[in-house]
Amino acid sequence: MPVRAADDDEASKLENVANNSLVIAGFFTGGALAIRGGAKAARNSAIGCACLLAVIEGVGIGFQRMMAENTRLDLPPPPPPAESGQTGFPAIA
């Protein structure tokens, strides 16, 4: 899971670093699992696993950004300016 920071730019940089490390881990894992098949099989498996993890991470980031749009809080519009002598609050009877 990527690490979050307060600043959006800093958070996206940390997220990219975390995603790159996951793709590299997939590359080494795919290669290690296919090493018994020879160098060509290990290379092909490493590249295939790295591509698969990159696609999965890209889809995850896309869904995360798509779902974040729904939770964005919008500020209500400011009240109209009060006329002279009125406070804007209802009168207490």
Side-chain angles (χ1 to χ4, degrees):
M1 178 179 276
V3 179
R4 290 284 181 191
D7 187 24
D8 288 339
D9 292 334
E10 190 175 333
S12 65
K13 288 178 188 174
L14 290 174
E15 190 173 282
N16 290 338
V17 170
N19 292 336
N20 288 339
S21 63
L22 290 175
V23 171
I24 292 169
F27 178 83
F28 284 119
T29 301
L33 291 174
I35 197 70
R36 291 181 65 189
K40 186 175 180 181
R43 181 198 65 206
N44 292 342
S45 180
I47 292 171
C49 283
C51 291
L52 179 65
L53 277 175
V55 167
I56 290 171
E57 287 299 315
V59 168
I61 290 171
F63 271 114
Q64 189 176 29
R65 289 185 179 169
M66 183 177 65
M67 295 299 172
E69 292 294 324
N70 296 335
T71 60
R72 183 173 296 166
L73 297 176
D74 294 329
L75 294 175
E83 296 178 15
S84 61
Q86 294 182 351
T87 62
F89 295 105
I92 299 175

